Amino acid sequence: MVRSPCVSVGRERAERVRRELLRAGLLRTDLRPRREGERVLFPVTDPGALGGLLGDLGAELTWSEFEEVPRRPRSLREAVEGIPEELLNEVPSSFDVVGDIAVIHIPPALEPYAAELGRAVLKMSPSIRVVLGEAGPVSGEFRTREYVHLAGERRTHTVHRENGCVFEVDLARAYFSPRLSGERSRVVSMVREGERVLDMFSGVGPFAIQIARHRGVPVTAVELNPDAYRFLVRNVALNRVERLVEAVNEDARRVAASRPSAYDRVIMNHPSASLEFLREAMIAAREGATLHVYGFASSVADWEWKVRSRLEELGRVPSGLTVRKVREVSASRIIAVADVTL
Ligand SMILES: C[S@@+](CC[C@H](N)C(=O)[O-])C[C@H]1O[C@@H](n2cnc3c(N)ncnc32)[C@H](O)[C@@H]1O
């Protein structure tokens, strides 16, 4: 209990006084107001500043004991319990949130304390229901990852909201990263009326669906992973863009090669393999089209060099090429995107 100056007021006027004190910035929010018979006591920060407030509302100034309001920890380091002092600086400063699932990277030194990390995430974030730990890298053709359950409910399925759209996803079965949300907005904002768009590696549909929904243009979304494709179809329906999005469960190489000059914009969000699909992407793109080519690189200049070299191999000189960093993957690796105009 904490002793504090407070305003005592009859119950019938309590709500009005609470609002006045809040508005004046005088209510202590770290202490819980309490009832005493027919009166309510509000702890205040600066009794000298109350001025005319008391008399006007029939309230009086006094002192009393109050219970502290438990404060929600603001960082994982603050929330975590049971981790030795010398390992505290290994505690990650952030985690990804997909729907109501938190995904956390567990540094090797903290593996024995993974459950403590999970509990700390739940303590910090009331909207999180599941905490998963990364149990390996994103890998394989379908770019999925293994997870370990750390805390909360036992599931990997959730519904995520991004830029006004909803996406159902099962993280153990299909790729999805909330970290690309800004990049998706950038691409959506570049799409112009009348365009036809090909999303060669659509996953559960975040690029394709946001483009259809916000730009109203037709999009072909290609995805090879049958599980991701199932979510893509579901998300197309959830976002009511069935008339604009054609979902295809096939190899993007075959789809692109079979539709010559059909598209004004081609999205190649497959950083570990996009350059292997560039020949077919150029078949599907009409003259003057834009390709967004994503890749892992050591720097922006490194990705520009890789894209230019591949274009040269394919005998193509682009009319425009700009490269930017999308995000850092590690200290020495980034994901970059080249916007190539043919
Ligand atoms: C990095 S993920 C990108 C997903 C999506 N663009 C997003 O923003 O969430 C790459 C996707 O390409 C899919 N993929 C891999 N090879 C493919 C191919 N040959 N044809 C079509 N999709 C493919 C994977 O299954 C995976 O879902």
Side-chain angles (χ1 to χ4, degrees), residues 34-54:
R34 65 184 187 81
R35 288 264 302 271
E36 203 172 68
E38 285 307 298
R39 297 188 76 78
V40 181
L41 307 183
F42 292 106
V44 293
T45 50
D46 181 4
L50 286 167
L53 214 72
L54 295 183

Side-chain angles (χ1 to χ4, degrees), residues 148-160:
V148 281
H149 173 264
L150 298 185
E153 296 168 26
R154 287 188 178 270
R155 60 177 158 85
T156 48
H157 176 276
T158 189
V159 179
H160 183 76

Side-chain angles (χ1 to χ4, degrees), residues 138 140-144 162 173-177 180 184 199-208 222-226 228-229 248-255 267-273 277:
V138 170
E141 194 175 26
F142 297 159
R143 311 311 294 155
T144 50
E162 183 179 288
R173 292 169 171 271
Y175 177 92
F176 183 82
S177 172
L180 293 177
R184 290 192 270 259
D199 182 2
M200 286 179 78
F201 312 101
S202 77
V204 302
F207 277 99
V222 187
E223 174 53 52
L224 192 60
N225 173 359
Y229 171 77
V248 186
N249 183 205
E250 254 191 69
D251 183 342
R253 210 177 255 126
R254 278 181 33 140
V255 177
I267 301 165
M268 304 181 72
N269 178 226
H270 190 355
S272 56
F277 292 77

Side-chain angles (χ1 to χ4, degrees), residues 82-93:
I83 292 187
E85 194 71 28
E86 65 275 17
L87 291 179
L88 281 181
N89 59 356
E90 298 272 344
V91 173
S93 56

